[in-house]
Amino acid sequence: MSQEKTLKDYVTEAKAIISEVEVNDVVPLLDAGYQVLDVREPAEYLSGTIDGALNIPRGVLEAFSDREYPGRREEMMDRDRKWLLLCATSGRSAMATVVMQQMGFKHVKNINGGMAAWKAAEMQTVIPPHH
């Protein structure tokens, strides 16, 4: 009988095949044209995020990024757009980075440690406007 996979297994596998950046390297990448994609749930996002982040929760990422899905998000149609993925501690965003790579996105990096590391480094957060 096969061993059941844990969340940690999925995250470890994801982190082995993606590119990650440390929080100290985020601002220079933003200056170089990357945008933050926050894959946390809306309530987490609304409690504070990185300035300019787009919120697309992990659970709807594939749908919103699918060119053939009627509910797709236009922001996600350009596969050359540069994204830095963010979640609470970098597990969900690591798995989301793998999905985006598989969907053809060429420039996706995961922010190692996520929002926890960002806050620990005393980096600036903003409360995004909500509609």
Side-chain angles (χ1 to χ4, degrees):
M1 188 164 163
S2 64
Q3 176 82 24
E4 282 187 13
K5 273 190 168 181
T6 64
L7 173 60
K8 186 178 179 201
D9 293 332
Y10 283 108
V11 172
T12 300
E13 287 173 10
K15 286 185 173 242
I17 58 171
I18 62 173
S19 173
E20 289 197 293
V21 297
E22 301 306 316
V23 290
N24 300 341
D25 299 323
V26 169
V27 172
L29 286 168
L30 295 176
D31 292 341
Y34 276 82
Q35 182 180 355
V36 174
L37 182 64
D38 189 330
V39 299
R40 297 176 300 159
E41 294 301 305
E44 293 174 282
Y45 168 75
L46 291 171
S47 72
T49 190
I50 297 173
D51 195 21
L54 174 67
N55 181 221
I56 295 187
R58 172 69 192 91
V60 293
L61 180 65
E62 291 87 345
F64 283 6
S65 301
D66 184 344
R67 297 178 203 271
E68 297 175 15
Y69 181 69
R72 68 187 175 271
R73 290 282 296 267
E74 282 310 310
E75 302 97 323
M76 303 306 292
M77 293 302 100
D78 181 359
R79 297 311 197 238
D80 289 315
R81 197 160 174 184
K82 299 173 178 177
W83 294 107
L84 297 174
L85 275 71
L86 176 73
C87 72
T89 59
S90 75
R92 282 175 286 177
S93 55
M95 293 184 290
T97 301
V98 171
V99 164
M100 289 180 72
Q101 286 177 175
Q102 292 169 342
M103 292 187 83
F105 289 88
K106 297 173 186 73
H107 310 284
V108 285
K109 298 178 186 295
N110 187 36
I111 299 173
N112 191 29
M115 186 52 77
W118 184 262
K119 286 181 176 172
E122 299 183 355
M123 305 291 279
Q124 183 180 358
T125 62
V126 298
I127 302 296
H130 56 290
H131 312 287

